[in-house]
């Protein structure tokens, strides 16, 4: 299994509220509440440490969970956050500059996709008045 | 891009205006001079913002309002959608019924609209939301009133009971607004322990009555819910942030400014108690407030 590297986007707003992390997507202002294990992964996502190591160190060492299950949950979590443009996932270590560049591309692609959908919707609604 | 084109060769100042009529409207302690040469619109301004005119205040910004025939301002996209964009030092604010431009550095702006209060009201809300975003403040969908020297906010979506709470308010409560609350941090001594002041606004909802032009330290924020009894319950910080964020009026899509708003809401929630207020509705709910 190849390693997975994860990095936080610097362009998102994140705040610890009590024992929960709240993150706002820069892409669409969606808010995410992270539980304690997800918060631990988020905070450790430095782009340089493999996800497996983060899970072992931050999740398995602190929470009663099987390593395989924890890793599966972690992978699903990081890919979900990546889908919302607030985390970068790669099979290679990610530098800060790369994280920002990839984030910009993701956001721009997403914006283009939204525009395209809007344009399609607009075309669909056009017709005899 | 809208159908309105502003003259590119003129600054946004008063050049070209004959016999301008001026008034300084101060909302939230931020005076803005509005200038027009249309007497009918000037009267509209007086009726709409009369309680918020402060002729002695030094204006932070000056806005020239060009009145055009109804329907002359059109926007190709959705007429109800508000467009707020920043480019080359200039904000462009537009909706189906107005087009405005504002240069913060030059402290001048220009609005093109028909002679009605709705467009200027919308432009004012957007302008104040942008000003507040950089100051840690916000406009939020909430009614608010002062009681016993403290301001109480009642937040909720349309139909949640914002106006109803103001209708049920006892005589000793001072109306700030039944629709859009104006909150910003203040280091002034009168901001008291929360560090935030709530100001009265002319932005009225179903009550159709402007708030008083006064301010008070924010005491508590209530998230409104209607039920079979009057009660106050604690909510988690994340619930509070989520609820307040949903109520914040903010139209710009600039990620940095949106991030500021999020940080501002988190800070507000940290310093001001936020609770859920379930009410019947019944005037006795005010026994729980203040």
């Amino acid at each position: 299994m190849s390693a997975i590297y994860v990095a936080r986007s610097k362009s998102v707003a994140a705040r610890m509220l009590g024992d929960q992390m709240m993150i706002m997507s820069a892409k669409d202002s969606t808010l995410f509440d992270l539980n304690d294990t997800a918060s631990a992964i988020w905070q450790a996502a430095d782009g340089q440490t493999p996800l497996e190591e983060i899970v072992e160190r931050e999740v398995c060492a602190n929470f009663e969970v099987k390593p395989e299950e924890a890793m599966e949950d972690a992978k699903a979590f990081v890919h979900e956050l990546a889908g919302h443009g607030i985390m970068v996932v790669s099979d290679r270590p990610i530098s800060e500059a790369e994280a920002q560049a990839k984030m910009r591309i993701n956001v721009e692609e997403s914006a283009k996709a939204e525009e395209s959908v809007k344009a399609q919707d607009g075309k669909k609604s056009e017709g005899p008045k | 891009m809208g159908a309105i084109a502003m003259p590119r060769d003129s600054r946004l100042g008063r050049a070209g205006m004959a016999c301008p009529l001026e008034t300084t409207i101060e909302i939230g302690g931020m005076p803005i001079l509005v200038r027009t040469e249309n007497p009918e619109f000037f009267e509209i301004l007086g009726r709409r913002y009369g309680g918020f005119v402060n002729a002695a205040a030094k204006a932070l910004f000056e806005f020239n309002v060009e009145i055009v025939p109804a329907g002359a301002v059109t926007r190709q996209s959705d007429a109800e959608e508000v467009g707020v964009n920043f480019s080359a030092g200039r904000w462009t604010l537009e909706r189906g019924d107005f087009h405005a431009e504002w240069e913060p550095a030059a402290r001048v702006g220009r609005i093109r609209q028909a002679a009605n209060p709705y467009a200027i009201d919308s432009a004012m809300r957007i302008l104040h939301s942008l000003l507040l975003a950089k100051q840690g403040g916000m406009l939020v969908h909430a009614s608010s009133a002062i009681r016993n020297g403290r301001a109480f906010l009642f937040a909720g979506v349309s139909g949640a009971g914002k106006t109803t709470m103001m209708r049920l308010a006892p005589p000793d409560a001072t109306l700030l607004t039944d629709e859009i609350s104006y909150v910003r941090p203040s280091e002034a001594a009168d901001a008291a322990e929360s560090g935030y002041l709530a100001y009265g606004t002319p932005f009225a909802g179903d009550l159709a009555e402007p708030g008083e032009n006064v301010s008070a330290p924010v005491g508590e924020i209530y998230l409104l819910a209607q039920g079979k009894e009057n009660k106050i319950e604690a909510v988690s910080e994340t619930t509070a942030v989520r609820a307040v964020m949903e109520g914040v009026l903010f139209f710009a899509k600039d990620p940095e400014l949106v991030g500021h708003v999020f940080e501002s809401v988190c800070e507000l929630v940290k310093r001001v108690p936020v609770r859920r207020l379930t009410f019947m509705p019944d005037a006795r709910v005010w026994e729980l407030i203040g």
Side-chain angles (χ1 to χ4, degrees):
Chain A
M1 187 183 75
S2 61
I4 296 173
Y5 294 87
V6 289
R8 299 183 298 272
S9 165
K10 296 288 186 292
S11 61
V12 304
R15 182 88 168 220
M16 206 67 195
L17 297 164
D19 59 355
Q20 277 197 304
M21 175 73 76
M22 189 171 242
I23 299 173
M24 191 183 66
S25 160
K27 191 173 79 179
D28 55 11
S29 301
T30 308
L31 293 169
F32 299 88
D33 299 331
L34 306 189
N35 63 21
D36 41 12
T37 53
S39 295
I41 294 170
W42 166 263
Q43 287 175 307
D46 58 4
Q48 303 299 311
T49 313
L51 180 61
E52 195 166 12
E53 189 181 323
I54 292 173
V55 170
E56 278 175 16
R57 192 182 68 207
E58 304 292 340
V59 181
C60 297
N62 298 311
F63 302 93
E64 282 189 24
V65 59
K66 290 179 184 170
E68 300 79 22
E69 282 178 18
M71 190 60 193
E72 284 308 306
D73 287 350
K75 281 199 278 190
F77 162 70
V78 298
H79 282 293
E80 187 190 347
L81 291 194
H84 289 284
I86 58 182
M87 194 172 249
V88 175
V89 180
S90 173
D91 55 4
R92 288 177 301 164
I94 308 157
S95 68
E96 243 179 62
E98 281 176 325
Q100 293 314 303
K102 285 191 178 183
M103 200 60 59
R104 268 199 302 278
I105 291 165
N106 285 348
V107 170
E108 282 167 10
E109 282 179 349
S110 173
K112 278 180 192 166
E114 281 173 20
E115 285 301 314
S116 169
V117 168
K118 277 185 188 172
Q120 289 299 321
D121 287 348
K123 281 177 189 166
K124 280 179 201 163
S125 65
E126 281 176 3
K129 302 277 190 234
Chain B
M1 180 73 189
I4 296 295
M6 291 297 192
R8 293 198 178 276
D9 57 349
S10 70
R11 63 188 282 272
L12 300 177
R14 62 190 299 179
M17 272 206 157
C19 303
L21 301 160
E22 298 178 346
T23 185
T24 300
I25 301 163
E26 184 172 2
I27 302 168
M30 292 202 261
I32 295 171
L33 187 145
V34 180
R35 184 181 293 124
T36 178
E37 53 186 31
N38 184 299
E40 180 197 353
F41 183 67
F42 193 70
E43 278 185 27
I44 290 172
L45 287 176
R47 285 196 296 274
R48 188 75 166 185
Y49 303 109
F52 292 81
V53 168
N54 182 356
K58 186 176 185 304
L60 294 172
F61 302 99
E62 297 185 4
F63 270 81
N64 291 320
V65 182
E66 181 190 353
I67 299 300
V68 295
V73 180
T74 56
R75 191 166 173 240
Q76 286 165 350
S77 55
D78 184 351
E80 290 300 314
E81 192 182 334
V82 175
V84 180
N85 296 292
F86 185 74
S87 176
R90 179 182 295 188
W91 282 99
T92 302
L93 329 173
E94 57 183 348
R95 200 176 61 177
D97 58 349
F98 73 87
H99 179 102
E101 295 186 356
W102 170 44
E103 291 178 18
R107 297 180 175 269
V108 292
R110 175 172 177 165
I111 304 170
R112 191 167 195 228
Q113 63 159 89
N116 68 62
Y118 313 114
I120 183 78
D121 222 50
S122 181
M124 283 285 207
R125 291 180 197 201
I126 297 169
L127 181 62
H128 277 277
S129 74
L130 293 171
L131 290 169
L132 284 167
K134 298 220 167 187
Q135 299 181 12
M138 65 206 73
L139 290 179
V140 57
H141 278 290
S143 55
S144 47
I146 300 172
R147 196 173 195 206
N148 297 328
R150 294 197 302 159
F152 298 93
L153 273 65
F154 304 92
V157 296
S158 184
K162 297 189 295 292
T163 300
T164 304
M165 280 302 295
M166 295 302 104
R167 287 197 173 117
L168 295 171
D172 67 328
T174 302
L175 173 74
L176 293 176
T177 174
D178 75 320
E179 178 72 4
I180 307 291
S181 287
Y182 197 114
V183 177
R184 70 185 173 101
S186 171
E187 293 177 359
D190 62 353
E193 71 273 15
S194 75
Y196 286 86
L197 289 175
Y199 293 80
T201 77
F203 308 132
D206 291 342
L207 205 58
E209 185 183 328
E212 296 289 324
N213 188 6
V214 291
S215 66
V218 179
E220 293 188 56
I221 298 171
Y222 295 109
L223 310 177
L224 290 177
Q226 296 191 21
K228 293 181 178 174
E229 59 178 328
N230 296 324
K231 63 178 179 182
I232 292 173
E233 297 165 292
V235 298
S236 69
E237 277 187 273
T238 51
T239 299
V241 168
R242 200 173 275 280
V244 176
M245 275 297 289
E246 282 172 4
V248 169
L249 270 79
F250 198 67
F251 309 94
K253 291 179 178 170
D254 178 88
E256 192 182 331
L257 269 183
V258 174
H260 272 308
V261 173
F262 173 72
E263 290 291 339
S264 300
V265 170
C266 290
E267 200 58 33
L268 176 74
V269 166
K270 201 170 97 181
R271 301 179 69 170
V272 177
V274 180
R275 300 190 171 96
R276 186 175 314 286
L277 173 64
T278 303
F279 73 115
M280 290 174 63
D282 181 310
R284 284 174 298 179
V285 66
W286 275 89
E287 292 171 7
L288 304 175
I289 313 297

Short mmCIF file of all heavy atoms in Angstrom, two decimals, chain B residues 29-48:
data_model
loop_
_atom_site.label_atom_id
_atom_site.label_comp_id
_atom_site.label_asym_id
_atom_site.label_seq_id
_atom_site.Cartn_x
_atom_site.Cartn_y
_atom_site.Cartn_z
N GLY B 29 -22.74 54.18 14.44
CA GLY B 29 -21.62 55.07 14.73
C GLY B 29 -20.76 55.35 13.51
O GLY B 29 -19.65 55.85 13.64
N MET B 30 -21.25 54.99 12.31
CA MET B 30 -20.47 55.22 11.09
C MET B 30 -21.22 56.18 10.16
O MET B 30 -22.14 55.77 9.44
CB MET B 30 -20.18 53.89 10.40
CG MET B 30 -19.23 53.05 11.23
SD MET B 30 -18.36 51.82 10.29
CE MET B 30 -19.34 50.40 10.67
N PRO B 31 -20.85 57.46 10.20
CA PRO B 31 -21.55 58.46 9.38
C PRO B 31 -21.18 58.38 7.90
O PRO B 31 -20.00 58.33 7.56
CB PRO B 31 -21.11 59.79 9.99
CG PRO B 31 -19.90 59.52 10.81
CD PRO B 31 -19.79 58.04 11.03
N ILE B 32 -22.19 58.36 7.07
CA ILE B 32 -21.99 58.32 5.62
C ILE B 32 -22.79 59.46 5.00
O ILE B 32 -24.01 59.57 5.23
CB ILE B 32 -22.45 56.96 5.04
CG1 ILE B 32 -21.55 55.84 5.60
CG2 ILE B 32 -22.41 56.98 3.52
CD1 ILE B 32 -22.02 54.45 5.28
N LEU B 33 -22.11 60.29 4.23
CA LEU B 33 -22.80 61.40 3.59
C LEU B 33 -23.43 60.92 2.29
O LEU B 33 -22.76 60.27 1.48
CB LEU B 33 -21.81 62.54 3.32
CG LEU B 33 -22.43 63.84 2.79
CD1 LEU B 33 -21.68 65.05 3.35
CD2 LEU B 33 -22.41 63.91 1.27
N VAL B 34 -24.71 61.21 2.13
CA VAL B 34 -25.41 60.83 0.90
C VAL B 34 -25.82 62.11 0.19
O VAL B 34 -26.41 63.01 0.79
CB VAL B 34 -26.65 59.97 1.21
CG1 VAL B 34 -27.38 59.59 -0.08
CG2 VAL B 34 -26.24 58.71 1.97
N ARG B 35 -25.48 62.18 -1.08
CA ARG B 35 -25.70 63.41 -1.85
C ARG B 35 -26.57 63.08 -3.07
O ARG B 35 -26.33 62.08 -3.76
CB ARG B 35 -24.36 63.97 -2.28
CG ARG B 35 -24.40 65.28 -2.99
CD ARG B 35 -23.01 65.74 -3.39
NE ARG B 35 -22.18 66.07 -2.24
CZ ARG B 35 -20.99 65.52 -1.98
NH1 ARG B 35 -20.49 64.59 -2.77
NH2 ARG B 35 -20.30 65.88 -0.92
N THR B 36 -27.55 63.91 -3.33
CA THR B 36 -28.39 63.73 -4.51
C THR B 36 -28.84 65.09 -5.00
O THR B 36 -28.88 66.06 -4.22
CB THR B 36 -29.62 62.85 -4.19
OG1 THR B 36 -30.43 62.73 -5.35
CG2 THR B 36 -30.46 63.44 -3.07
N GLU B 37 -29.18 65.19 -6.25
CA GLU B 37 -29.77 66.45 -6.70
C GLU B 37 -31.26 66.26 -6.98
O GLU B 37 -31.89 67.12 -7.56
CB GLU B 37 -29.03 66.98 -7.94
CG GLU B 37 -28.91 66.00 -9.07
CD GLU B 37 -28.04 66.54 -10.20
OE1 GLU B 37 -27.12 67.33 -9.93
OE2 GLU B 37 -28.31 66.19 -11.36
N ASN B 38 -31.80 65.15 -6.54
CA ASN B 38 -33.21 64.86 -6.76
C ASN B 38 -34.01 65.15 -5.48
O ASN B 38 -33.89 64.41 -4.49
CB ASN B 38 -33.35 63.39 -7.18
CG ASN B 38 -34.78 63.02 -7.52
OD1 ASN B 38 -35.66 63.11 -6.69
ND2 ASN B 38 -35.01 62.62 -8.76
N PRO B 39 -34.83 66.20 -5.47
CA PRO B 39 -35.56 66.58 -4.24
C PRO B 39 -36.50 65.49 -3.75
O PRO B 39 -36.65 65.28 -2.54
CB PRO B 39 -36.36 67.83 -4.66
CG PRO B 39 -35.69 68.32 -5.89
CD PRO B 39 -35.10 67.12 -6.58
N GLU B 40 -37.12 64.77 -4.69
CA GLU B 40 -38.05 63.70 -4.29
C GLU B 40 -37.31 62.61 -3.52
O GLU B 40 -37.75 62.14 -2.47
CB GLU B 40 -38.70 63.10 -5.55
CG GLU B 40 -39.69 61.99 -5.25
CD GLU B 40 -39.99 61.14 -6.49
OE1 GLU B 40 -39.54 61.49 -7.61
OE2 GLU B 40 -40.66 60.12 -6.32
N PHE B 41 -36.14 62.23 -4.03
CA PHE B 41 -35.35 61.20 -3.36
C PHE B 41 -34.82 61.71 -2.02
O PHE B 41 -34.73 60.96 -1.04
CB PHE B 41 -34.19 60.74 -4.26
CG PHE B 41 -33.37 59.64 -3.66
CD1 PHE B 41 -33.92 58.38 -3.47
CD2 PHE B 41 -32.07 59.85 -3.26
CE1 PHE B 41 -33.19 57.35 -2.90
CE2 PHE B 41 -31.32 58.84 -2.68
CZ PHE B 41 -31.88 57.59 -2.51
N PHE B 42 -34.48 62.99 -1.98
CA PHE B 42 -33.97 63.57 -0.73
C PHE B 42 -35.06 63.48 0.36
O PHE B 42 -34.76 63.20 1.53
CB PHE B 42 -33.56 65.03 -0.96
CG PHE B 42 -32.75 65.59 0.17
CD1 PHE B 42 -31.45 65.17 0.41
CD2 PHE B 42 -33.30 66.55 1.02
CE1 PHE B 42 -30.71 65.67 1.47
CE2 PHE B 42 -32.56 67.07 2.08
CZ PHE B 42 -31.26 66.63 2.29
N GLU B 43 -36.30 63.69 -0.04
CA GLU B 43 -37.41 63.55 0.92
C GLU B 43 -37.55 62.10 1.37
O GLU B 43 -37.83 61.82 2.54
CB GLU B 43 -38.73 64.03 0.29
CG GLU B 43 -38.90 65.53 0.34
CD GLU B 43 -40.25 65.96 -0.18
OE1 GLU B 43 -41.21 65.16 -0.10
OE2 GLU B 43 -40.33 67.09 -0.70
N ILE B 44 -37.37 61.17 0.44
CA ILE B 44 -37.42 59.75 0.78
C ILE B 44 -36.35 59.42 1.82
O ILE B 44 -36.61 58.73 2.80
CB ILE B 44 -37.23 58.87 -0.49
CG1 ILE B 44 -38.46 58.98 -1.39
CG2 ILE B 44 -36.96 57.41 -0.11
CD1 ILE B 44 -38.30 58.30 -2.75
N LEU B 45 -35.15 59.97 1.60
CA LEU B 45 -34.06 59.74 2.56
C LEU B 45 -34.44 60.25 3.94
O LEU B 45 -34.19 59.60 4.96
CB LEU B 45 -32.78 60.45 2.10
CG LEU B 45 -32.02 59.86 0.92
CD1 LEU B 45 -30.84 60.76 0.55
CD2 LEU B 45 -31.53 58.45 1.23
N GLY B 46 -35.06 61.42 3.96
CA GLY B 46 -35.47 62.02 5.23
C GLY B 46 -36.47 61.16 5.97
O GLY B 46 -36.37 60.96 7.18
N ARG B 47 -37.42 60.63 5.23
CA ARG B 47 -38.45 59.77 5.86
C ARG B 47 -37.84 58.45 6.34
O ARG B 47 -38.16 57.95 7.39
CB ARG B 47 -39.59 59.49 4.87
CG ARG B 47 -40.52 60.67 4.65
CD ARG B 47 -41.82 60.21 3.98
NE ARG B 47 -41.61 59.67 2.64
CZ ARG B 47 -41.58 60.41 1.54
NH1 ARG B 47 -41.74 61.72 1.62
NH2 ARG B 47 -41.40 59.86 0.36
N ARG B 48 -36.96 57.90 5.52
CA ARG B 48 -36.40 56.58 5.81
C ARG B 48 -35.37 56.61 6.94
O ARG B 48 -35.32 55.72 7.78
CB ARG B 48 -35.74 56.02 4.54
CG ARG B 48 -35.30 54.59 4.63
CD ARG B 48 -36.48 53.67 4.56
NE ARG B 48 -36.12 52.29 4.32
CZ ARG B 48 -37.02 51.34 4.13
NH1 ARG B 48 -38.31 51.62 4.15
NH2 ARG B 48 -36.65 50.09 3.93
#
